[in-house]
Amino acid sequence: MYSLTVRDRMMIAHSFTGAVFGPAQRLHGATFVVEATFRRAVLDADGLVVDIGIAAGALRSVLASVEYRNLDDVAEFAGKNTTTEFLCAWVADRLADRLGTGLDSIEVLLRESDVAWGSYERTL
């Protein structure tokens, strides 16, 4: 399986519902390093998994739609806890919509810090 990974960042604010989240129930900020890995078993006619510039641009576009926003105010996220894991899937789904043709899978990893991160992989 071939893979190509691009990386970007996003800063958001949000809060969580539920006692399990302790002080994170209050509004707080997060800065995520976001990695998107694209996989395919066979390279395309140009010898690529996906063009790096196109992949980086697609990731930037997805992140820009929520960057510097309070996710509690985004209608699409109403009633949802926008956890690291949830956001991984949300980013992966949007990347699949933009770049999914010909790929076997997309994995998105959000690094919340140097000691904690989450990921989600979806097949296409």
Side-chain angles (χ1 to χ4, degrees), residues 52-90:
I52 290 172
I54 291 171
L59 180 58
R60 171 82 321 252
S61 176
V62 170
L63 301 181
S65 70
V66 294
E67 193 166 34
Y68 296 109
R69 295 183 65 190
N70 178 351
L71 301 185
D72 298 348
D73 296 336
V74 176
E76 180 179 0
F77 301 141
K80 296 183 174 77
N81 281 322
T82 53
T83 62
T84 301
E85 299 90 336
F86 173 90
L87 291 172
C88 288
W90 183 85

Side-chain angles (χ1 to χ4, degrees), residues 1-79:
M1 187 68 68
Y2 296 95
S3 68
L4 177 95
T5 301
V6 294
R7 179 184 287 172
D8 205 331
R9 292 177 181 81
M10 74 172 168
M11 297 174 71
I12 54 94
H14 59 175
S15 61
F16 298 130
T17 301
V20 68
F21 295 105
Q25 292 176 85
R26 295 188 298 271
L27 184 64
H28 62 281
T31 301
F32 292 104
V33 174
V34 182
E35 297 175 16
T37 300
F38 304 88
R39 292 187 178 90
R40 60 188 301 157
V42 178
L43 298 177
D44 71 10
D46 296 310
L48 301 171
V49 173
V50 62
D51 179 88
I52 290 172
I54 291 171
L59 180 58
R60 171 82 321 252
S61 176
V62 170
L63 301 181
S65 70
V66 294
E67 193 166 34
Y68 296 109
R69 295 183 65 190
N70 178 351
L71 301 185
D72 298 348
D73 296 336
V74 176
E76 180 179 0
F77 301 141

